[in-house]
Every structure is written in C-alpha cells, then in structure tokens.
C-alpha cells in the first residue's frame, strides 16, 4: 500500500492533558466528539447486529421457537430503530464531526458545546431506548410505529413509551447537530473555499443537514401527538374518537422517506472521497454530483406515500407518488455513472477502503433497482410488506450506507489514529462481508416474491421458503464473523497499526494537509484555498491542471498552491500558537442528562406514581434549566 | 497485495447463484406472486416482467461497466498515467436521459394499470366483507347472509369485490396467488376486487395478514378455496342455514317438512342467476337442510395443511375419543353452564341462544365450525386433539390469543392467573365440547 | 477576504420608525378587515371568503417577514434559509389537504 | 493570510473569528431554526386542518352542538372578539420589538434620544404584550374548558389545544428571553454591540407572531 514518506505520527501535539475519562466527558473538540460518536455507534451496531442474528436464528427454519413472539416483535422493532437511529445516523455524525471542519479548513464547528450536547443526548437517548429490552419492555410496534397499535388502546404497555420518548430525545440530538453543521458549513469555510470547492463529503453532509431540519420536525410533531395520546388522553390516533391512523402514516413517511436519504447521502459523500483518491483522478462531474445530491434531497420530500400504496389512497395519488418516486432514480443513477467515470481511465489501487467503495456502487445499484420496482403500485402491492422489501432496504442500507461507512472508516482511520488498519484483516472483513451480505439478503428477494410476509416471528413448513431462509440465516453468521474481524482489526490497529503520516493515500483535500491525528486546533494557520483539490495542486498538479480553478485566481494558482503542509509547526500547542481553544465543560452532558430524566418522568407517570413522576419531571427540568443557564453564562474559550 | 481477489470470490458467488437458480426452478412455490389466476395479478405480473427486464439490463450494464473499469484500469507497474478527464456534458446528459426514458416505459403501464385496478367493481360481483380482528379473519357474504371465519370460498370465474375493514388495529389482506394486498384501516372501508379466472383449477390457497398487527401477526393466516360456481352455491346454501341441532334448526326442519307436505315449491336462493341450472337438484330435496359441501380434504395440498407444533399439554386420548356431542351442546347452550363455558358470550352459533351478535362477537362465528378444515386463523388442523388443547389453553397455542384458557388449572394470561379448578373445564367436558363443535357441520 | 466581514449583518440600513409605523398600521388595518369579513354572513357564505382571508393573512405574513424580520434588507442567504423550508412546508400542507379531502 | 491571524485574536466571541460570509453564526443558526419551525408548525396546522370536522362528538369550533345523549347544548367554542384582541396585542408586540432593536442599534444616535431610544421601554413593552397574549390564552383555555372542551374531549380539542399550546409555549419562551434581555439592559445597558443578540431574539419573536397570523386565519376565522 502506498505509504507516503514516513512522517512520524504526531500523537499529542497540544493534548497532553487530554486523557482520562473526565476529558472525554467534558470535551468540546469536534474530533474527539466524532470519535465518541464512532465508538458509541459501533457499539450499537453490535447490538443491532446481535438483534439481527437472533431474528435470523429464529427464522432459520419453519416453526422454531428460539424466541417468543413478543420478544421477536421487540427484536425487529429495536433492530430497525437501532440501525437507523443509533447506528447509521450517528456513524454519519461521527464523520460530520470529524471531517467537516477539517475539510473546510476550520478549527472547530460553529457551536462546539452544542456539538457535545448533541452527542450526549444521543448517547443517553440511545441507552433510554435500548436498555428496556433486558426487561422485555422494549418497543414492539415496528420501527414506524403505526397507530393505533402504537397508541394507548392497543399498545398500552410501557414498550412503546420508550419508543415515543426515545425517538423524541434522539430527534433533539439530530436537530441540534444539524443547525450546528449548517452554520459551520455556511460560515466557517476557509478563505477561498467556495461552495463549489467543498469536498463532496461536505457537500452531501450539507444537504443532509437540511433534510434533518426539515424532516425531523414532522416526526417530532407526530410523536408529540402519539405521546399526548399515550400520556394525556388526547385522541389524535384513537379510532373510537374518529382519529385517523393514516394521518400517522403520512406524517411518519413525510419524515421517513427523507430519512432514508439522510442515511445514504453521507455514505455517498464518503465514497466520493475514496474513489478519486484511489483512482488518482478527480471526481468526475463534480458539479453534477453536487446538484444531484441536492436533487435527491429535494425530490425526497415529494414521494413519501410510496410506502402507503396498499392503504387505498385512490388512483390519482397513487399515480403521482409513483411517478415522483421513479424520478429519484435519475439523479441517483447520475451518481452511479459519475463514480464509474471517476474510475474510468484512472490508475486504480484497491485498499480495503476502495473495495468497500466499489462494493457500495455494486450493491446499492441492486437495492436501487428493486426500489424502482416498488415504485409501481400494481407491482408493489405484491411486494409491500414482504421480504422483497426487506431485501430492497438492506441492499441500500447495508450494501449502501454501511458499506460506504466502512469505506470511510478504513479511509480515515489513519487520519484519526495516525495508523493504518490491517489490510489483511480488512480483506477478510470485506470479502466475508460481501459474500455474507449477498447470501443474507439476495434470497430475501425470492422469499418475498414467493409470498413470505415481513415481521413474522414464525412461518409454517411447506411454504417454499425454507431454503431461502436458511441461506439468509447462514449469511448472517458470516456477517457476524466479518463484523468481529472488523472489530478486532479496529481495536488492534489503534495501537499496532503501521504509522500513517499526514497523507497516507495521496488524497486531494485539506484534511490530509495536517498531521495524523490532527492537533487540537487543526490548522496552525487557516489555509487559503484556491481549488477543489488543494493537496493535489501541491503534490500532483497534473491531476488538477485541467480543472477550472475559479477564474479570479486562475492566474495566481502557480504560487498559491497554497496549502502549507505543516509538519513541524503543528507540533506546537494551541497556547504557544496563541489559538483560542474552547474550554472543556461538563455542562452539555448535564443538560442532556436533565432532558432524559425529564422524559423518564413520563414513564413513571404511566406507572401510576403521580408524585414521583412530578418529582422526576420537575427535577429533570430544573436540572436541565440550571445546567443550561450555567452553560450559557460561562465563556466559550 | 492491491489486486482484486476475484478468484477467491468467484466460487462463492457461483455457488450462491447456482443455488438460487436451482431453488427457483425446482420445488413448489404455493404462495408465488407470479401466478396469472386473476386479471389483477396479470397486470402486476406484466409490469413486473417489464421492470425485471429493464432492471436486469440496467443492472448488467452498470455492473459490467464497473467490473470492466476496475479490471482495465487497475494500477500496474509502469502502467500509463491516468487520463485526467473531469467531466463531460454530453455524457452527463446521456446518462440522465436514458434512465428517464427507461422510466417512461415503466411509468406509462403503471399509471394505466393503477386506474384499471381501481375502477369500480362490476355491480354483479360477489360481495365479500373482510373484517380484521387481532388475530383472525371474519368473512361475510352479505348477499347470502353468511358469516364465517378464517376460510374463504370463492367461485371461479366470478368477480369478487372485497370490502375491508377492521375491528381493532390495522391489518392487510393478501392472497399472494390471486393478487396484491390491501390494508384494513380503522375508520375506513377499503376495497379490492378481482376475478379468479375460469382457467383456474379449484384449489386451496394460503392467505396472510401482512400489516404488522401485534403479538400474533405471524399467526394471522387464512385459507382460500377457489371452487366451481356450482360448488360455491352448494357450500353457501348450507353455510347460511342455522346450526345443526339448534332449536331453530329443528323448528325449521319441521316447518320445511310441513311446507313440503303442502307441496309448496322448494326454497330457492335469491341469487338464482348464480346457480347453474343443474345445481338446484343437489339441495332441492325437501324436508332437510341443504347438504353440506366443503372443499374436499384430499384436494388440499401440503402447503395448506398447517403443521404448527402443538404445545406439550397433556390430554387423555381415550377421553377425547369418548366425547359426547350432546353433552357438549348442553355445556355451551344451557345458561346454567355460562360460568364454566361462556363460549356464547364471545362466539355466535346461529340458531342457539347467543349472548353476542355477529357485530360485537369477540371470537369467530362457530355455526358451521365442523365444516372448517383449519382453525385459529389457519394455524391448526381442525382435528380433535388440537381443538381440545385449544379450548384448554388457547394462548399457549397462539401467543396473545384473545381467547382465554378454559382448562381447569391452566394459566390464563388474560387474568394473569391459572383458571381455578372449580371454574375450569375438565378434560371430559372439553372432549364433549370438541365433539359438539366437530358435529357442527 | 476580510473586507466584507465588517458588519455585513448590517450592511443595509434597517427601516426606521417611519416605516415601522406604517407597517404596523397596515397590519392593523388588514386584521380589522379580516375580522370584519368574519362578521358578514353573506360574505362568509360566499366563495370569496376563504381565498380573501388567505390572501389577507398571507399579506400580513409577508409584511412582517419582509420588514420586521428585515428579510427584504438582509443577506440573501437568510431569504433562502427561510423561503425554502416555507415552500416545502406549504406544499406538504396542501398535499395533505388533498390526500385527506376525499376520504 | 491576514484573516488567519485575525482568527487568532483572543476575544471570546465567535464573531471576532474568521467567518466565511461575515454573518453571525447564531443568526444563521436562528434562520435555519426558523426554517425548521416552519415544518413543525406546518405539521401542527396540517393536523388541525385535516381533523377539522372529523370529531365524533362536540363541542365544535364554529357551530353549536347538542349532545344527543344528555340533550345539553354546547355553544360554538371559538370566541372571535377575544382572540382578535389578543391577535392585535401580539401584532403590536412585533412593532415594539422592532423599536427595541432600533433603539439598541442606534443607541446614542440623533433621533433616538427620548422614548424612541429607550430600549428598556420597548423591551418591557414587548414582553408585556407577550404576557398579555398569554393571559388571553389562559383565559381562552379556561373558558373553553368551562364550555366543555378539554384536550380529551374530541379531535378538535386535541388538535386545537396542541397547536395553540405549542404556539403559546413558544411565546412563553420568547417572553423569558425578552425578560432576560431586559434584565441585562437594566443591569449594564445594551449597546449597539449587543444589537446582534437583540436582532436574533427579534427574529424569533417575529416568527412566533407570523405563526400566529397563520393560526388566527386558518383556525379562528375560516369556518
Ligand atoms: C438508504 C436507504 C434507502 C434508499 C437510498 C432507498 C432508495 C429508494 N427506495 Fe427505498 N426503502 C428504504 C430505504 C431506502 N430506499 C427502507 C428502509 C424502506 C422500508 C421501510 C419500511 O417499510 O420499513 C424502503 C421502502 C421503499 C418503498 C416502499 C415499499 C413498500 O413498503 O411497499 C419504495 C417504494 O417505492 C422504495 C423506493 C425506493 C426508490 C425508488 C429508491 C431510489 O432512491 C433508488 C434509486 C437508485 C437506483 C434506481 C439505482 C441506480 C440508478 C441507475 C443505475 C440508473 C438507471 C436506473 C433506472 C432507469 C431504474 N423504497
Ligand atoms: C442500517 C440499517 C440496517 C442494517 C445494517 C441491518 C442489518 C441487518 N438486518 Fe435489518 N432491518 C432494518 C435495518 C437494518 N438492518 C430495518 C429498518 C428493518 C425493519 C424493522 C421493522 O420492520 O420495523 C430491518 C428488518 C430486518 C429483518 C426483518 C425482520 C422482520 O420483518 O421480521 C431482518 C430479517 O432477516 C433483518 C436482518 C438483518 C441482518 C441479518 C442484518 C445484518 O446485516 C447485520 C450484520 C451485523 C452484525 C452481525 C454486527 C456485526 C458488527 C459488529 C460485530 C460490530 C463490531 C464493531 C465494533 C464494536 C468496533 N433486518
Ligand atoms: Cu393482522 Cu397482521
Ligand atoms: Cu421511501
């Protein structure tokens, strides 16, 4: 593998005192918060994965009873919820945190403490929704919580309380983070970093933040309705009072569909970083890539009802949503072709990161095509709520989002830790993952079209599904093995990986101009940016010569290939350089804690202990407000 | 190291593909969605085929381009430096336009079929009301006055218009072989219609609930029997009668007898147009209820015979064999036994004294229970053993079932306690009830 | 690079008391009209009622946003940040009204 | 490179750091937040409208209703005169708010000497108007409850109280914010340097007003 001239890893410029638990609890450094996100999300990936393993074990053969019906229902609900809200979104957030400031040449995010707050709300909210499974009280209404099953009349237990409140909590985290990143990207780009010079990952992240701030309020409102129904006796989704379950479905999917693009676009962004680097060629059709991302996000708001073709919306609505859905295939296809064109004519190297990136292209396409197959209602009515759908969304989610994120992890691990992950183990991980993924999810196309419904904890023999299910289950175990290999590789490489240096892959963007791991302040000097590929301007000018740098500075490019690669200077501390660094603080964590306690009060209320519930809520609320006050009145840096 | 391990991957991939192809060719697929038994599904299959074709083309092109590219441009010692092309407007337009064009070929038949499928059903269609319950199906034939559960009879060659509603949460009605699904939604009546076409053999098909509806969603199945119109009429003529052995049946038989004696004409079903001319003879015999006709058990394929394992609850076979239908009827219908066997507070047996009506009954209508092949929403064969265990402890056989346990000493999850010995049914009583239920042809 | 930084927030003068006063007056007048319209049964019954109320309220909405929130004078970015979501929210609302109208 | 050094300045406020657009971070975030709030209130209003006329039992917003069981007659719930008054108060609060901002921005400038330049007065008036609005709302809610409409009564009650309650909560937050700002003004006096903070608060306040404009028409006036 190409290790550029061995630059000794700059382990701890400026961060000698930044160790120990307390430093992690109080950090407001976007990089460390990114790492926290990464670890936490990987932990939940293990949880969600083990849930999947149990699911698949139960379904290995007909009429098994590995788990009970009720527990199975909790498993798939929590599996979906975990993977979506506690794994893929936070893994993306890990990269937003770590990379966006580095890619745009900033020293931190716009609101460092808000950033810490987002993380802690996520971490605590994740526990809030995950822990109940140990008491058999985990949410059991499906990840889309259809009313009235999720309401008080038919879902009267505690289970869906945790879901409603947990999602509400997680929403706070995502929203706070989104405002933060929008501001960061708009306002903290280094001089010369125009929008059209932003790295594609930052671009896709930018789009995603808008999807978050527009989609999450809708689910927030819907969850409030459900929450009020459950706790305060309102009638939003109560059938007897005339409540309309379809309102829940519409609100959920107005959120839910943009949500799936929230899950995939960051992975698209990561892949758009990995492919050019290892092809030694700039991204093909940069502008088109940026615009198609925007297009996907925008169209994503007009297609939600394709999840509801079976509810009987009438032919006009069915047709409109069907055609709108098909349209999304166009900008997505543009992305696929541009990626291939990026590689075409290049000089391709295949480290594990590249393999995963290519894997995404190959696998996502399968999921995308089955997606288009769902978009035609007459045909979807045979597919909806069967394993064919399960196949579709695992191809796009596992074959797309997770593969892309793996590509990102292998690619950026050297930047984050200063060391490479083992390529050898990585190969095993990749191939087992690739085979396991196809073995698990491809047969689901068959079981689905041969009539197997989703969300069934058992099925009868003789239905023609046995073989496919057995294949799926075997594939899952392969995936488990590959995941464990990854985990081992991940942890052992942190200490024992080969040293990586600043720019191990010969990549084009700013984050590679600084040491690995980067110093606390990122850039000793805020760089002046003159093109999309500053590092290539510097190191491989032939690759970028043909790209129109912005006309204003086209003339000065020669001397202004101006990204200095600071190797020595950045061994100095922030203090020595006179760079203000935000103070570490525990307050965001405390506010987050207050919020979670506040929400827990409602559970106590449901349990019927009114005084204790009031005490919990008032206590949590007061604690939150107090900590918030302390936060707002203390100086940032 | 940086070379593609295609070879390592190839055998595994080949194996998967081979297995899948084999799988798709051999074997029986009783729930396949690709059948052409109805016009509804023909439309679906037509679009599916087209999408499959176009999708495969797109897939092959993309993957071929991808593989070609990674093979051709892999880095080689002394290979050429990359050609630095960064974009190409003509290409961008091409790969925007071609997918758009492909989509037109999908969109047009899609919209056409949507409007076709959602036309109003023909007026002369057979009406069937489907009512979802957690976790069983109620079927009504309003034109015949029939209420039944979990087994659906459909005449071949005749359009059926289903109106779908639910008593509780959302469910979804699906018979994969006959067409797409439609949800049962609270506060709304949904519709779907199709015509099992004349070319279809009489057959037993599986159906399922496909909208997650709680604990036993997986156990909310049903059977559909497509039968000839003559058979259908025969079945229906019997199903609409009151229960065998009920006071109403005895009275009706007496009335019919005297009517026959008065040489009045035989009772003709309202929907005479449905009946092929030869059929009336089959049940025109005066002085008795129409003859029972059910879908013949021999014609039911293995896929439609449930093999759900029975719980390990003991039941003495000899006691079971000695069940007495008369005693069973007494247990169910004598108000004195209501404390022990409150069956008729939740179930309706037409002709007996019921405490529930069709509209507020919590359990399936049992009037002609003996003519069903399966029970518990398609979970169990309607044999004596399974039935006995069911009455003893239904929730142990079907998680979450809303039917309480009645066996003395059995745990009843609805009251979260065992049934007191005094209040519960002993095995003998259960055997009697089973005998009675099975006699309700 | 640094030149455009200084007080770009306030690069354009905000409106003054004079304008504010007129804006307030307009808002007041439109509100009075709205309420007045509500009390004319014949008008309430007519087809024009709903559209005219919608137009009046939209007018107030726009006036406040343009002048009081000085979007008219402020950075174009803010306009985008506001109108984009507003349009999506509006379209979604209308779509819902259609979807639920025929049930 | 001058900017880079400028970014190293030691001031503890982000607007002294380098920013790409020259805009204030928090102001950008506030506008993004307001965009997001459009979707929140959009969903709440949509729900109210979708459920309009779908309640199984009364009372109803615009028509009287006779309970078929008890025979009791319930009047139409909404009280347009009262709400018109509170709407007016809220509209005027927006005027006070812009004047408060102008006073802070132009502190000491000619033309801003007397009352016009008293940010304290205008902040206090805005907050007071907010409080009056909330009092109106409290009055409204209690009188509706006395008329027989609670959040549990029917779909109208559920969606009405939730929508207007959310709006009221936003007003309440705004009032707290205003009071804090007033407190600071009293303690140390706001100067043009603080204008940005008042500006951001004002954006929030006006947005809450704008939402009410929509609610007033869609919920109260259109029948
Ligand atoms: C990462 C997440 C993700 C992504 C990216 C997508 C992408 C798409 N999805 Fe998927 N989807 C889900 C996650 C995702 N989906 C989930 C989780 C569910 C289930 C939710 C649940 O019920 O629990 C779901 C369900 C779902 C349904 C509902 C099915 C049902 O329940 O009945 C539909 C229906 O239209 C659909 C369609 C699509 C389409 C058209 C795309 C398109 O964006 C795909 C576009 C991509 C391509 C088409 C491939 C590349 C293009 C080319 C190579 C160009 C040429 C192609 C053509 C001309 C076709 N999806
Ligand atoms: C990103 C989203 C995501 C991902 C990655 C997955 C991954 C998997 N899913 Fe999931 N799935 C969903 C999202 C996802 N799923 C959703 C949204 C639903 C719908 C839920 C609903 O209906 O409500 C669903 C439903 C669903 C079902 C249908 C259940 C049902 O309808 O009854 C099944 C069944 O087979 C299934 C299987 C799997 C399997 C085998 C995996 C495997 O790929 C998992 C493999 C992973 C592992 C085995 C873990 C290995 C990882 C590690 C060991 C990490 C360690 C690393 C460190 C700690 C450093 N999933
Ligand atoms: Cu009924 Cu699922
Ligand atoms: Cu979707």
């Amino acid at each position: 593998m190409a290790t550029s001239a061995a630059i000794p890893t700059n382990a701890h410029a400026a961060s000698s005192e930044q160790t120990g638990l307390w430093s992690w609890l109080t950090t407001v450094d976007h990089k460390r918060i990114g790492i926290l996100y990464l670890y936490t999300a990987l932990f939940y990936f293990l949880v969600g994965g083990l849930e999947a393993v149990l699911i698949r074990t139960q379904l290995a053969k007909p009429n098994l009873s590995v788990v009970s019906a009720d527990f199975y229902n909790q498993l798939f609900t929590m599996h979906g919820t975990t993977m979506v809200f506690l794994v893929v979104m936070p893994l993306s957030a890990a990269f937003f945190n770590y990379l966006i400031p580095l890619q745009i040449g900033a020293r931190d995010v716009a609101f460092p403490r808000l950033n810490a707050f987002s993380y802690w709300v996520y971490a605590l909210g994740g526990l809030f929704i995950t822990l109940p499974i140990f008491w058999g009280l985990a949410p059991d209404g499906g990840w889309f919580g259809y009313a009235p099953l999720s309401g008080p009349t038919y879902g009267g237990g505690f289970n869906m309380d945790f879901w409603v409140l947990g999602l509400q909590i997680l929403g706070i985290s995502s929203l706070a983070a989104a405002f933060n990143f929008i501001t960061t990207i708009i306002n903290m780009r280094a001089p010369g970093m125009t929008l059209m010079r932003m790295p594609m990952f930052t671009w896709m992240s930018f789009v995603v933040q808008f999807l978050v701030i527009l989609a999450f309020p809708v689910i927030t409102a819907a969850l409030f309705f459900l929450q009020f129904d459950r706790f305060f006796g309102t009638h939003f989704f109560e059938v007897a009072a005339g409540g309309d379950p379809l309102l829940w479905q519409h609100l959920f999917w107005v959120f839910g569909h943009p949500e799936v693009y929230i899950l995939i676009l960051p992975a698209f962004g990561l892949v758009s970083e990995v492919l050019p680097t290892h092809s030694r060629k700039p991204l093909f059709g940069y502008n088109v890539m940026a615009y198609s991302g925007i297009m996907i996000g925008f169209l994503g708001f007009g297609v939600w009802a394709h999840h509801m073709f079976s509810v009987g919306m009438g032919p006009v609505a069915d047709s409109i949503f069907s055609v709108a859905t098909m349209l999304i295939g166009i900008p997505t296809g543009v992305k696929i072709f541009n990626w291939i064109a990026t590689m075409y004519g290049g000089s391709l190297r295949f480290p594990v990161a590249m393999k995963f990136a290519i894997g995404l292209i190959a696998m996502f396409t399968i999921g995308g095509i089955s997606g288009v197959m769902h978009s035609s209602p007459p045909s979807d009515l045979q597919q909806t709520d069967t394993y064919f759908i399960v196949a579709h969304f695992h191809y796009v989610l596992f074959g797309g989002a997770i593969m892309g994120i793996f590509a990102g992890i292998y690619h950026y691990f050297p930047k984050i830790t200063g060391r490479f992950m083992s390529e050898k183990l990585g190969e095993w991980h990749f191939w087992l993952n690739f085979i396991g993924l196809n073995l698990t999810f491809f047969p689901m196309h068959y079981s689905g079209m041969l009539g197997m419904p989703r969300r069934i904890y058992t099925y009868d023999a003789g239905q023609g599904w046995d073989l496919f299910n057995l294949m799926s289950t075997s594939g899952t175990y392969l995936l488990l093995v590959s995941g464990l290999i990854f985990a081992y590789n991940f942890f052992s490489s942190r200490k024992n990986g080969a040293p990586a240096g600043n720019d191990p892959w010969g990549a084009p963007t700013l984050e590679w101009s600084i040491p690995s791991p980067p110093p606390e302040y990122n850039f000793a000097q805020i760089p002046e940016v003159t093109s999309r590929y500053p590092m290539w301007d510097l190191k491989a000018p032939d690759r970028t010569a043909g790209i129109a740098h912005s006309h204003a500075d086209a003339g000065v490019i020669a001397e202004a290939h101006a990204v200095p690669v600071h190797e020595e200077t950045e061994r100095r501390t922030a203090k020595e350089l006179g760079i203000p660094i935000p103070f570490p603080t525990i307050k965001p964590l405390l506010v987050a804690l207050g919020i979670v306690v506040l929400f827990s009060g409602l559970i106590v209320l449901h349990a019927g202990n009114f005084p204790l519930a009031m005490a919990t809520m008032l206590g949590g609320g007061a604690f939150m407000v107090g900590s918030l006050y302390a936060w707002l009145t203390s100086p940032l840096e | 190291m940086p070379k593609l391990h295609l070879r390592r991957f190839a055998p595994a991939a080949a194996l998967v593909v081979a297995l899948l192809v084999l799988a798709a060719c051999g074997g029986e697929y009783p729930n396949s969605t690709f059948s052409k038994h109805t016009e509804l599904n023909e439309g679906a299959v037509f679009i599916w085929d087209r999408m499959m074709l176009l999708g495969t083309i797109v897939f092959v092109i993309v993957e071929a381009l991808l593989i070609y590219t990674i093979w051709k441009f892999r880095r080689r010692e002394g290979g050429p430096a990359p050609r630095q092309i960064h974009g190409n407007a003509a290409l961008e337009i091409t790969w925007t336009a071609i997918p758009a064009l492909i989509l037109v070929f999908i969109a047009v038949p899609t919209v056409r079929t949507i409007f076709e499928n959602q036309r109003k059903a023909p007026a002369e269609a057979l009406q069937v009301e489907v009512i979802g319950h957690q976790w069983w199906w109620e079927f009504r034939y309003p034109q015949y006055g029939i209420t039944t559960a979990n087994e659906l009879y459909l005449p071949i060659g005749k359009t059926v218009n289903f109106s779908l509603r639910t008593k509780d949460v959302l469910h979804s009605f699906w018979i994969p072989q006959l067409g797409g699904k439609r949800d049962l939604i609270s506060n709304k009546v949904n519709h779907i219609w199709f015509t099992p076409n004349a070319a279809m053999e009489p057959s037993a098909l599986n159906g399922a609930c496909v909208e997650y509806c709680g604990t036993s969603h997986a156990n909310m199945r049903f059977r559909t029997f497509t039968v000839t119109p003559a058979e259908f009429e025969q079945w229906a003529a019997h199903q609409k009668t009151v229960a065998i052995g009920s006071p109403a049946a005895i009275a009706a038989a007496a009335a019919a007898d005297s009517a026959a004696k008065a040489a009045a004409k035989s009772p003709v079903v309202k929907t005479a147009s449905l009946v092929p001319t030869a059929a009336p003879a089959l049940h025109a015999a005066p002085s008795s209820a129409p003859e029972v006709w059910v879908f013949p058990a021999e014609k039911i394929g293995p896929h439609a015979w449930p093999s759900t394992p029975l719980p390990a609850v003991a039941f003495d076979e000899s006691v079971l064999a000695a069940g007495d239908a008369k005693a069973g009827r007494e247990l169910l219908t004598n108000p004195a036994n209501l404390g022990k066997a409150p069956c008729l507070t939740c179930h309706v047996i037409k002709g007996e004294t019921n405490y529930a009506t069709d509209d507020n009954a919590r359990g399936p209508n049992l009037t002609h229970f003996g003519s069903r092949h399966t029970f518990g929403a398609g979970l169990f064969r309607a044999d004596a053993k399974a039935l006995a265990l069911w009455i003893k402890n239904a929730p142990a056989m079907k998680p979450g079932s809303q039917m309480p346990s009645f066996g003395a000493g059995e745990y009843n999850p609805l009251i979260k306690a065992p049934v007191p010995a005094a209040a519960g049914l002993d095995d003998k009583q259960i055997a009697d009830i089973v005998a009675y239920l099975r006699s309700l042809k | 690079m640094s030149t455009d930084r200084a007080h770009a927030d306030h690069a354009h003068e905000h409106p003054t008391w004079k304008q504010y006063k007129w804006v307030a007056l307009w808002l007041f007048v439109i509100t009075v009209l709205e309420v007045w319209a509500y009390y004319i049964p014949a008008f309430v019954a007519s087809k024009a009622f709903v559209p005219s109320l919608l137009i009046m309220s939209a007018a107030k909405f726009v006036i406040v946003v343009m002048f009081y929130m000085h979007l008219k004078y402020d950075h174009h970015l803010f306009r985008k940040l506001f109108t984009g979501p507003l349009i999506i929210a509006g379209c979604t609302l209308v779509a819902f009204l259609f979807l639920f109208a025929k049930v | 490179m001058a900017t880079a050094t400028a970014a190293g300045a030691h001031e503890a406020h982000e607007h002294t750091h380098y920013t790409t657009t020259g805009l204030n971070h928090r102001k950008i975030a506030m506008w993004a937040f307001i965009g997001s709030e459009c979707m929140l209130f959009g969903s709440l209003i949509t729900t109210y409208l979708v459920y309009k006329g779908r309640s199984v039992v009364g009372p109803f917003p615009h028509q009287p209703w006779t309970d078929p069981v008890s025979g009791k007659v319930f009047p139409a719930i909404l009280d347009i005169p009262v709400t018109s008054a509170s709407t007016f108060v809220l509209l005027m609060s927006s005027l006070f708010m812009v004047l408060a901002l102008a006073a802070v921005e132009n502190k000491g400038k000619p033309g801003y000497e007397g009352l016009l330049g008293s940010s304290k007065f205008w902040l206090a008036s805005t907050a007071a108007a907010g409080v009056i609005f909330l009092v109106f709302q409290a009055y409204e809610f209690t009188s509706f409850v006395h008329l027989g409409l609670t959040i549990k009564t029917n779909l109208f009650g559920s969606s009405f109280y939730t929508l207007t309650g959310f709006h009221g909560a936003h007003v309440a937050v705004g009032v707290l914010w205003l009071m804090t700002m007033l407190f600071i003004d009293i303690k140390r006096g706001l100067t043009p340097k603080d204008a940005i903070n008042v500006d951001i608060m004002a954006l929030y306040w006006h947005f809450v007003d704008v939402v009410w404009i929509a609610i007033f028409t869609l919920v109260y006036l259109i029948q």
Side-chain angles (χ1 to χ4, degrees), chain D:
Chain D
M1 283 295 111
T3 41
T5 11
H10 299 271
E11 274 301 311
H13 287 99
E14 77 257 14
H15 57 258
T16 56
H17 284 290
Y18 171 78
T19 59
T20 318
T21 57
L23 302 169
N24 177 284
H25 281 349
R26 279 170 300 138
K27 191 163 170 186
I28 297 177
M30 177 50 78
W31 272 108
F33 175 72
I34 288 175
S36 177
E37 292 270 281
C38 287
M39 288 303 279
L40 179 72
F41 279 104
S43 311
L44 294 168
I45 293 175
T46 303
T47 299
Y48 177 85
L49 293 179
V50 163
Y51 275 162
K52 203 164 165 173
R54 290 225 195 170
S55 299
V56 197
V57 294
F60 300 122
H62 299 287
Q63 314 85 28
W65 175 71
T66 315
D67 185 343
V69 182
S70 66
K72 200 171 162 230
V73 179
F74 293 85
I77 287 294
L78 297 182
D79 185 345
I80 302 301
V82 167
T83 316
S84 303
S86 72
T87 303
F88 174 71
V89 171
L90 197 60
L91 273 180
M92 287 307 114
S93 82
S94 267
L95 175 65
F96 304 155
M97 187 73 251
V98 284
L99 293 176
L101 175 59
V104 174
E105 269 176 347
N106 299 302
K107 194 138 275 180
K109 287 206 192 137
Y112 286 89
E113 288 90 8
L115 195 56
L116 215 48
S118 167
S119 53
K120 292 188 199 65
F121 176 76
W122 295 118
L123 283 174
S125 312
T126 317
V131 170
I132 294 174
F133 179 84
L134 288 175
V135 169
F136 266 113
Q137 192 169 43
Y139 163 77
E140 193 185 26
F141 280 13
T142 34
S143 76
F144 291 179
V145 169
H146 285 305
L147 289 178
L149 181 80
T150 71
I151 198 168
K152 299 181 186 183
T153 307
N154 55 14
L155 289 178
F156 164 58
S158 296
S159 55
F160 172 81
Y161 284 116
T162 304
L163 168 58
T164 52
F166 261 90
H167 180 267
H170 277 72
V171 175
V173 169
V175 167
L176 284 180
W177 195 347
L178 280 160
M179 305 244 235
T180 317
M181 200 59 86
L182 180 62
F183 178 73
I184 296 172
D185 200 359
I186 292 170
K187 225 172 121 188
R188 67 164 170 78
L190 294 171
T191 65
K193 262 173 120 182
D194 300 302
I196 184 69
N197 294 327
V198 181
D199 189 10
I200 291 168
M201 177 177 72
L203 288 179
Y204 174 84
W205 187 258
H206 295 309
F207 178 71
V208 171
D209 183 19
V210 159
V211 169
W212 187 255
I213 291 177
I215 292 179
F216 182 58
T217 305
L218 293 174
V219 173
Y220 286 85
L221 295 182
I222 293 180
Q223 313 187 6

Side-chain angles (χ1 to χ4, degrees), chain A residues 46 56 72 79 83 88 143 394 398 444 454-455 479:
Chain A
L46 183 61
R56 286 301 341 156
Y72 181 92
H79 166 70
M83 288 297 192
V88 176
W143 88 279
H394 282 93
F398 198 89
M444 290 184 184
R454 314 166 53 173
R455 302 170 154 184
L479 285 176

Side-chain angles (χ1 to χ4, degrees), chain A residues 70 140 243 280 282 285 310-312 315 318 338 347-348 362 376 381-382 384-385 427 449 455 457 460 463, chain B residues 31 33 41 63 73 75 84 86 92 110 118 174 176 181 183 187-188 190 206 210 212 215 217 219 303 307:
Chain A
D70 280 325
D140 57 359
R280 297 197 182 163
S310 61
V311 305
D318 279 1
N338 276 295
S347 166
L348 311 187
S376 173
L381 289 180
Q382 279 291 23
T384 188
D385 273 318
E427 293 264 317
M449 290 318 283
R455 302 170 154 184
Y457 78 93
D460 210 350
Q463 306 302 305
Chain B
N31 307 313
T33 55
N41 212 39
E63 307 291 340
F73 298 103
R75 191 168 303 171
Q84 297 298 341
H86 314 124
E92 301 286 356
T110 293
Q118 300 191 26
W174 190 35
K181 43 191 90 66
D183 295 353
N187 290 339
K188 180 175 158 113
N190 249 335
N206 290 331
V210 273
Y212 176 62
T215 306
H217 161 64
N219 297 329
H303 64 277
S307 55

